[in-house]
Amino acid sequence: MSASPLVLGIESSCDETAVALVRGDRTIVAQAVASQDEMHRPFGGVVPEIAAREHVEKLTPMVARVLAEGGVTLAQVDAIAATAGPGLIGGVMVGLVTAKALAFAGRKPLIAVNHLEGHALSPRLIAPDLQFPYLLLLVSGGHCQLLAVEGVGRYRRLATTIDDAVGEAFDKVAKILGLGFPGGPAVERAARNGDPRAVPLPRPLVGTAEPHFSFAGLKSAVLRARATGNFSTDDLAASFQQAATDCLIDRTRRAIDIMPEATALVVAGGVASNAAIRAALAELTARRDLPFVAPPPWLCTDNAAMIAWAGAERLALGMVDGLEVAARPRWPLDPGAETVRGAGVKA
Ligand code: KG4
Ligand code: ZN
């Protein structure tokens, strides 16, 4: 194996089929992402069965294409990494079984990557100087957590949501406002033309000692405000985005207090591609004199470069998996974290 091993990464845990070739020296050799938005749009959300079938059709040709674009053969790849959970289990199985077959046929080490670890380590792909431990705000469609990232495979959960994830709230608000699917980018676009102070909305849990999140009440408040007929769609979108941002900032500020040893604040996950949220986090960290790392939007939403990179980090530490490794619909980054009072199953 070369000093800078080449890892093939596969991501298929939701509605993006993605393949990437990444080197241990942080070179992204080639990558591709196929979004299934068009397939799921008529249903207003991701249909797991359709997603899994799409991965079956798209994934293998995409592996062939990415290898060709990278100018390498399977023989020149040093390890195969794939998302093994958490996520929609049908899709996870397609990606993981494909990776197992490639690893078996090519006699390569297999690395079963936790999708959340992919997001958590993604900033290190673009910020070589980023050192452990750092504070991670992980904000996606399925998760909303603050984590102390202490090393590869070493995560301490400081906070989580007691109901909905923030991306889920964006998606539900988009539905309420008739903005379509996927919801997050649609709400952000509408918010640009609205007044963030137009609609009075709550800031759930703001000010509490533990930095947990709650977004279900905020979403319901948008639904009630919409029903009055007094507010424009753009004002509702802008006011919701402002309220959600205020919650994220207050909770993150509290986590910074709790984790003085953090070398930086890092944001990751699909919601981290929201420009208003990024700007507010940048302002918060500037005030606290804390470095802030936000991966580019393409690296925040689901992709395979982050899975290949997490694979490269694990490979360097000898953390490889056997061909019998399981696909896991649920897989917390911090298995020791306790259930939070009031939390639904998502915690
Ligand atoms: O990380 P991700 O691509 O998939 C999951 O692992 O969940 O995150 C998807 C989530 C969705 O809820 C989507 O609406 C949200 O991220 N999202 C956004 C934006 N782009 C994606 N939310 C707010 N603003 C955005 N620009
Ligand atoms: Zn994700």
Side-chain angles (χ1 to χ4, degrees):
M1 203 178 295
S2 72
S4 189
L6 180 63
V7 180
L8 175 77
I10 292 175
E11 160 59 35
S12 61
S13 65
C14 193
D15 61 340
E16 266 89 27
T17 314
V19 176
L21 280 168
V22 174
R23 284 199 185 280
D25 67 1
R26 297 182 164 78
T27 314
I28 299 168
V29 175
Q31 68 162 325
V33 183
S35 158
Q36 304 175 0
D37 286 352
E38 294 308 320
M39 310 291 301
H40 301 289
R41 184 162 290 130
F43 306 96
V46 178
V47 183
E49 170 86 18
I50 294 175
R53 289 172 184 222
E54 278 290 301
H55 292 309
V56 169
E57 290 179 29
K58 298 279 156 55
L59 184 56
T60 325
M62 191 182 278
V63 170
R65 208 170 65 240
V66 167
L67 284 170
E69 275 171 22
V72 295
T73 63
L74 184 58
Q76 290 167 293
V77 171
D78 293 300
I80 314 287
T83 295
L88 302 174
I89 196 65
V92 171
M93 286 166 69
V94 174
L96 184 59
V97 169
T98 303
K100 286 184 180 196
L102 290 169
F104 176 66
R107 299 179 191 215
K108 310 290 180 189
L110 172 72
I111 301 146
V113 174
N114 183 317
H115 178 84
L116 303 174
E117 177 165 70
H119 281 301
L121 298 177
S122 66
R124 284 166 55 84
L125 175 56
I126 47 112
D129 297 333
L130 178 60
Q131 300 295 325
F132 301 120
Y134 52 84
L135 174 61
L136 170 69
L137 173 64
L138 179 60
V139 278
S140 71
H143 295 84
C144 187
Q145 302 187 343
L146 284 154
L147 293 141
V149 181
E150 295 171 341
V152 177
R154 291 174 47 214
Y155 307 92
R156 193 160 46 83
R157 199 192 72 193
L158 304 176
T160 188
T161 177
I162 64 165
D163 40 58
D164 292 351
V166 61
E168 190 178 356
F170 269 90
D171 293 333
K172 287 178 176 170
V173 164
K175 232 176 194 176
I176 291 167
L177 300 182
L179 291 171
F181 171 87
V187 170
E188 183 177 8
R189 266 194 308 277
R192 271 186 223 128
N193 307 316
D195 175 0
R197 289 169 305 275
V199 189
L201 293 172
R203 268 72 172 158
L205 293 187
V206 159
T208 58
E210 285 190 290
H212 294 306
F213 302 92
S214 169
F215 292 100
L218 174 55
K219 170 209 63 192
S220 304
V222 173
L223 184 63
R224 285 193 298 273
R226 174 70 159 186
T228 65
N230 294 336
F231 305 106
S232 74
T233 298
D234 291 348
D235 283 351
L236 283 160
S239 300
F240 161 75
Q241 181 171 276
Q242 185 63 55
T245 304
D246 289 349
C247 293
L248 293 174
I249 294 302
D250 177 79
R251 312 291 54 211
T252 304
R253 185 188 300 122
R254 183 76 197 113
I256 292 172
D257 292 341
I258 291 173
M259 195 189 166
E261 71 277 22
T263 62
L265 171 71
V266 166
V267 65
V271 181
S273 58
N274 183 292
I277 293 172
R278 291 163 81 96
L281 289 168
E283 199 189 306
L284 168 68
T285 48
R287 254 184 281 128
R288 290 300 185 97
D289 222 4
L290 187 68
F292 175 53
V293 181
W298 71 263
L299 191 53
C300 290
T301 48
D302 286 347
N303 66 88
M306 69 179 190
I307 302 305
W309 172 250
E313 293 247 42
R314 290 198 150 245
L315 185 67
L317 297 169
M319 300 160 91
V320 298
D321 296 276
L323 289 177
E324 74 290 343
V325 70
R328 301 175 61 173
R330 294 193 183 284
W331 188 1
L333 271 184
D334 178 1
E338 285 170 17
T339 306
V340 181
R341 208 144 68 98
V345 287
K346 287 184 212 83

